[in-house]
Amino acid sequence: MELEKRRSNCGGLPSGWKREEVVRKSGLSVGKTDVYYYSPDGKKIRSKPMLARHLGESLDLSAFDFRTGRIIHSALRKRIRHDTSLVLPIRQTASIFKQPVTVIRNLTESKSKTDLKHGPQDPPKQLFWEKRLQGMKACDSGDEFLLPLDLPRNVQGVGPELSTENILQSISAALHLGNAPVTGQANNKATLAKNPGVNIDTNQPHIQQMIVSEDDIKRQETKVMEARRKLQDVMKGHL
């Protein structure tokens, strides 16, 4: 794979740290970039957790953006503003709104609803939570990045700037957390583009609705059997 490497000083880290941006010039992932950092002693850093382990407590990385190499000052100000040591004490009082509520819609309808009560509510679901993981990649025990997966052509993502990794994360979450069949979004891509906050179902992955046919299942079974056969041949060769 042809790569283009650009290395420069990193203003968000102590003096001597270098930031390297690697642009893929060929292959299926052409145009995508990978970001690495080099310590003053030449150690290559591949991820933010690895950078945090290397620096230890000498530098707070909570507002450091690994992709750009900069300190996000808005995030830093937000953290300072919510510091509990800077918040004045608030008098805690018991809530007086714990009684059943009667809803009167108009003069001709006055039905009482006793099930409208204050109390613990289900937390709102966050749309596009997978984008919080954008830029983070899986690596092995040697801190080597795992090769990205290629999605089948009939798996098309819906949503603003979702990467292949984001789509795979949403599919994995739907399979792990939900009990319903995973089919994708019911609305078409044009409808979702107009108002994704309303139309996207958080219980389904961010992909267009698709149907797995019997031919798809048979082709996948053939691939699995072929992989098992190759593995058996390799194991026999080492015996």
Side-chain angles (χ1 to χ4, degrees):
M1 180 183 295
E2 185 180 353
L3 303 175
E4 177 184 350
K5 298 182 179 181
R6 308 168 187 168
R7 188 176 295 189
S8 60
N9 294 326
C10 181
L13 295 176
S15 176
W17 280 83
K18 302 289 185 180
R19 176 181 178 273
E20 183 180 69
E21 188 177 53
V22 179
V23 183
R24 304 176 187 178
K25 306 294 288 184
S26 61
L28 297 177
S29 58
V30 60
K32 291 189 177 181
T33 59
D34 298 318
V35 176
Y36 308 100
Y37 292 87
Y38 290 86
S39 64
D41 57 359
K43 182 176 178 58
K44 187 176 184 179
I45 304 298
R46 302 173 181 273
S47 63
K48 189 172 182 179
M50 186 178 177
L51 179 62
R53 291 195 301 269
H54 186 84
L55 292 174
E57 298 182 355
S58 61
L59 183 65
D60 184 6
L61 297 176
S62 57
F64 178 75
D65 185 8
F66 190 85
R67 292 289 300 174
T68 62
R70 300 173 182 174
I71 300 296
I72 307 300
H73 296 285
S74 59
L76 188 61
R77 288 195 298 269
K78 182 178 179 181
R79 183 184 177 191
I80 295 176
R81 185 166 59 248
H82 288 84
D83 191 342
T84 55
S85 62
L86 302 178
V87 179
L88 294 176
I90 300 175
R91 181 181 179 184
Q92 300 293 329
T93 58
S95 174
I96 61 175
F97 302 104
K98 294 184 178 180
Q99 300 300 320
V101 177
T102 300
V103 179
I104 301 178
R105 299 187 182 279
N106 50 48
L107 296 177
T108 60
E109 179 185 3
S110 59
K111 295 181 179 180
S112 177
K113 293 187 177 181
T114 59
D115 57 338
L116 300 178
K117 299 181 180 180
H118 289 268
Q121 303 292 329
D122 293 334
K125 296 181 179 179
Q126 181 182 3
L127 294 175
F128 309 122
W129 62 266
E130 298 84 358
K131 292 183 70 63
R132 297 178 60 187
L133 305 177
Q134 194 164 356
M136 300 182 67
K137 299 180 181 180
C139 58
D140 57 19
S141 57
D143 291 326
E144 291 289 337
F145 284 128
L146 301 179
L147 294 177
L149 298 176
D150 294 327
L151 292 174
R153 292 183 179 180
N154 60 339
V155 178
Q156 299 292 328
V158 291
E161 300 180 0
L162 289 176
S163 64
T164 300
E165 290 78 8
N166 294 148
I167 296 173
L168 289 171
Q169 289 155 4
S170 68
I171 295 174
S172 300
L175 291 171
H176 180 68
L177 300 177
N179 296 322
V182 175
T183 59
Q185 299 298 320
N187 293 310
N188 58 43
K189 193 172 184 178
T191 303
L192 293 173
K194 295 179 181 178
N195 196 349
V198 173
N199 292 293
I200 285 191
D201 177 12
T202 56
N203 295 318
Q204 291 292 337
H206 301 320
I207 59 174
Q208 294 184 19
Q209 192 170 34
M210 57 175 294
I211 298 176
V212 179
S213 64
E214 291 292 336
D215 292 337
D216 294 331
I217 297 175
K218 290 179 180 178
R219 283 195 296 268
Q220 189 63 29
E221 289 177 344
T222 302
K223 291 181 180 180
V224 173
M225 295 300 294
E226 181 65 19
R228 289 179 177 176
R229 185 189 63 77
K230 291 181 179 180
L231 180 59
Q232 289 177 354
D233 293 341
V234 172
M235 294 177 64
K236 290 178 181 178
H238 289 280
L239 292 179

